């Protein structure tokens, strides 16, 4: 039963973060060309800033997922140099999403599966962002593609 619940929660978190990321990139794709009065380089920086905020929001969403999952009996616990349960979940999410994985805090139990799923999701979303920004730089930076 707990394994099925783990699968469901993990799937919902991945779907929510991927949908969120898709919507942010879709918004940027539609919105950035309308900033004709802004320099090309600044348009790319605006895109980078918005994508950064998007990643932070996705990390917090996973952190909330850890926090909620830890409140379900039998799902697992955070072990190590813990300080505050909520902020430990956010911190764990940051180091997992970015695949840094310091190891000063770890999880046990079924919640471990979320760390693997989050690391893979973070890798996919970071590379998706990099690809998007590469295409934007080709559009807006001189000597590459059509300038808008």
């Amino acid at each position: 039963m707990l394994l099925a619940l783990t699968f469901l929660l993990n799937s919902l978190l991945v779907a929510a973060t991927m949908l969120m990321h898709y919507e942010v990139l879709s918004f940027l794709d539609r919105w950035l060309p309308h900033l004709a009065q802004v320099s090309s380089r600044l348009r790319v920086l605006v895109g980078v800033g918005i994508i950064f905020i998007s990643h932070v929001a996705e990390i917090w969403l996973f952190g909330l997922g850890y926090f909620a999952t830890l409140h379900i009996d039998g799902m697992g616990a955070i072990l190590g140099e813990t300080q505050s349960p909520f902020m430990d979940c956010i911190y764990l999410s940051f180091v997992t999403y970015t695949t840094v994985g310091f190891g000063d805090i770890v999880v046990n139990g079924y919640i471990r599966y979320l760390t693997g799923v989050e690391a893979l999701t973070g890798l996919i979303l970071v590379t998706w962002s990099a690809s998007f920004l590469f295409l934007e730089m080709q559009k807006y930076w001189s000597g590459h593609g059509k300038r808008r």
Side-chain angles (χ1 to χ4, degrees), residues 21-36 43 132 136 139-140 148:
H21 206 74
Y22 173 83
E23 290 300 328
V24 167
L25 295 181
S26 179
F27 166 77
L28 285 173
D29 186 53
R30 290 186 316 272
W31 183 67
L32 286 176
H34 296 294
L35 296 178
R43 273 187 258 182
F132 176 84
E136 290 303 305
K139 289 180 197 174
Y140 299 126
R148 295 183 183 185

Side-chain angles (χ1 to χ4, degrees), residues 70-81:
L70 288 171
H71 285 85
I72 301 171
D73 287 336
M75 291 299 273
I78 291 183
L79 308 170
E81 301 174 27

